Amino acid sequence: MPDAWALSARLKKAALERAQPLAASLELTYRCNWRCVFCYNPRHHDRRPLSGAEWLSVLDGLRSLGTLSVALTGGEPLAHPDFLAVARGARDRAFALRLLTNGALVTEVLADAIAALRPVAVEMSLHGAAAPTHDRATATPGSFGALFRGADRLLRRGVVVVLKTPLTRLNEGEIDGMQRLAEEHGVGWRLDPVLTPRDDGDPGPLDFRASAAAVARIYARLAALGQRLQEERVAGGTNCGLGRTTIAIDPEGDVFPCLQWRRAPLGNVRETPLPEMWAGSAERAYAAEVARRANDRMVGEGGALATFPFCPALALQRTGDPFHPDDGHRERAEIAARVLSLR
Amino acid sequence: MGLRRHPDVAWQTIGDEAVLMCLADRRILGLNPVGALVWSLVEERDEDGLVAAVVERFSTGDAAAREDVRGFVALLRERGLVVEG
């Protein structure tokens, strides 16, 4: 959720203690009209995708679980034949709605429908400051123009659009240009230097990681903008909402304790009602325990790791151990510490 | 009272409190336990019903509960968080 929607620390803590999954990510489909070279979704398309009616049933389960915010993602969520019915279903059930889309499928008619849903934000990926770089990253000619046609249709209707950029070696030389584009369109812009392996473990996307020098430039820029690169972490705390305040559901109905954690599903919504699954899952309990222990492990590491945001799910994917950060994480933590020490 | 929660409000209870996200003007509001109870029942009960629920849950007097309910519902109306059903 954007900062404007930030819950109080007290309510966040209450949700954490109650293991109430406030934020749900629904991967409506892995189908996508783009072919991003560093995409983390598995290569297979949906073999037995949930129907619109099944997704509505999932939304009922999430309401019972205490979810507040639903993000529709993919793949490309607009490629699901029942996208609009699911999005409307989310709002009918009083969820806050976020959409993560590449924007290319946002027609004038769909823009009207999306605007009527009053999403908290529509988040779109920007991969370069101009068509050649962006279209190379998406492996889709014309995708840069399609992104901005979709974004502009939503902006004209007052929808809040946020551009998000995964920093890669392809676009690391175009940071100023991308920031200028965001400013010209009057939209927020977020930059993330972390690329992840595919959900099926294929490390291919990591070949596109940005250079250390580019990461340092980005961190310096973010720090100058007042963005926090480090977090306060004290012994006895919890690293993140894994297994407690986040939940993710894939196109075939498998449920995970966050979007990144793919060790094993908690279950499948076709077989077990969500509230029952969430309450009884040993995998969820394990993930929640990992989140608790990861905090103390990072505190114990000391130095740059002690204060740098850590993802146990990513560590598990990269090293096989949710408490053992990979080299990329260690490098970014050191860079952030160095950048902050120079300020 | 025949009230409905405004469709542009996203909300959820957390414990005995509630959080409301007003999507039209991008405000976020936290409700205390009395407010959360009234909000969760506002479509189902009239004023007497809401007062009875507050009296039962919080072991308070009828007059004080009615004052709380009236004040809170007036606030919901004033802020456009509920509409006439």
Side-chain angles (χ1 to χ4, degrees):
Chain A
M1 265 181 274
D3 289 341
W5 294 115
L7 292 186
S8 70
R10 192 175 54 77
L11 282 178
K12 278 188 201 165
K13 185 165 180 278
L16 201 64
E17 287 169 353
R18 298 166 56 82
Q20 179 173 343
L22 290 176
S25 295
L26 276 49
E27 296 179 305
L28 291 190
T29 177
Y30 287 146
R31 273 173 281 169
C32 189
N33 45 331
W34 291 2
R35 294 288 176 267
C36 297
V37 294
F38 37 72
C39 179
Y40 61 80
N41 284 149
R43 286 199 180 85
H44 69 74
H45 284 189
D46 323 339
R47 286 166 293 214
R48 203 170 152 243
L50 296 184
S51 66
E54 287 174 310
W55 279 117
L56 294 180
S57 174
V58 166
L59 290 171
D60 287 333
L62 290 171
R63 191 74 209 165
S64 300
L65 277 177
T67 295
L68 172 63
S69 172
V70 165
L72 302 184
T73 181
E76 169 50 53
L78 273 57
H80 191 288
D82 296 320
F83 158 75
L84 208 47
V86 178
R88 284 182 177 135
R91 288 295 302 111
D92 288 346
R93 288 160 178 77
F95 292 115
L97 178 66
R98 288 169 55 223
L99 302 180
L100 284 70
T101 171
N102 61 39
L105 301 178
V106 179
T107 60
E108 296 286 348
V109 171
L110 193 54
D112 280 338
I114 290 173
L117 294 170
R118 289 200 189 277
V120 169
V122 176
E123 302 179 10
M124 299 176 163
S125 296
L126 173 67
H127 297 296
T133 308
H134 180 93
D135 292 0
R136 184 178 167 206
T138 63
T140 307
S143 59
F144 182 80
L147 159 66
F148 281 103
R149 277 193 298 278
D152 287 341
R153 283 174 179 140
L154 293 170
L155 288 167
R156 282 199 298 274
R157 290 161 172 86
V159 174
V160 174
V161 172
V162 177
L163 294 176
K164 299 198 305 188
T165 297
L167 184 67
T168 67
R169 63 179 171 80
L170 303 179
N171 64 21
E172 66 178 52
E174 300 184 9
I175 300 305
D176 288 337
M178 288 190 285
Q179 183 170 1
R180 212 162 33 242
L181 266 178
E183 288 168 357
E184 285 168 7
H185 283 80
V187 302
W189 179 54
R190 294 210 300 265
L191 194 57
D192 186 355
V194 181
L195 291 182
T196 62
R198 286 185 187 271
D199 285 346
D200 59 12
D202 178 352
L206 303 183
D207 292 344
F208 293 91
R209 273 188 299 201
S211 67
V215 174
R217 285 198 301 275
I218 293 310
Y219 282 167
R221 181 181 298 229
L222 295 178
L225 292 170
Q227 193 164 316
R228 294 178 64 190
L229 302 180
Q230 296 177 332
E231 58 190 18
E232 289 174 28
R233 191 183 267 129
V234 293
T238 302
N239 181 74
C240 57
L242 172 66
R244 291 187 173 88
T245 60
T246 59
I247 186 170
I249 303 166
D250 82 4
E252 297 176 351
D254 279 345
V255 179
F256 297 90
C258 85
L259 206 49
Q260 202 71 43
W261 183 274
R262 299 288 160 148
R263 192 181 83 130
L266 314 187
N268 188 284
V269 297
R270 286 182 168 126
E271 295 160 7
T272 313
L274 258 182
E276 185 184 321
M277 187 194 308
W278 185 256
S281 166
E283 182 69 13
R284 187 193 67 75
Y286 172 70
E289 178 62 12
V290 164
R292 192 189 64 73
R293 287 170 54 199
N295 175 78
D296 290 357
R297 288 289 287 268
M298 291 304 110
V299 172
E301 289 274 356
L305 287 178
T307 52
F308 194 64
F310 173 62
C311 175
L314 188 56
L316 178 64
Q317 268 186 318
R318 296 288 296 130
T319 70
D321 178 348
F323 306 113
H324 189 79
D326 72 329
D327 290 344
H329 179 86
R330 290 174 187 277
E331 182 181 64
R332 288 189 298 276
E334 293 293 343
I335 292 171
R338 204 163 51 242
V339 163
L340 292 174
S341 73
L342 295 174
R343 284 175 56 79
Chain B
M1 273 181 280
L3 293 176
R4 282 187 302 113
R5 299 180 199 97
H6 195 290
D8 285 344
V9 177
W11 67 278
Q12 186 54 275
T13 53
I14 302 176
D16 57 2
E17 300 180 57
V19 58
L20 274 54
M21 298 170 69
C22 312
L23 302 173
D25 56 9
R26 305 182 70 76
R27 286 176 300 154
I28 191 161
L29 300 172
L31 301 185
N32 66 19
V34 175
L37 177 65
V38 173
W39 175 259
S40 66
L41 296 173
V42 74
E43 292 189 349
E44 301 160 26
R45 300 197 183 190
D46 62 9
E47 181 179 297
D48 287 345
L50 293 172
V51 169
V54 171
V55 167
E56 184 186 344
R57 175 78 63 88
F58 300 101
S59 305
T60 183
D62 190 87
R66 190 168 298 278
E67 189 178 340
D68 280 350
V69 167
R70 280 187 179 164
F72 182 65
V73 171
L75 186 72
L76 293 178
R77 280 198 169 103
E78 180 188 315
R79 295 194 175 191
L81 300 171
V82 292
V83 291
E84 304 301 325

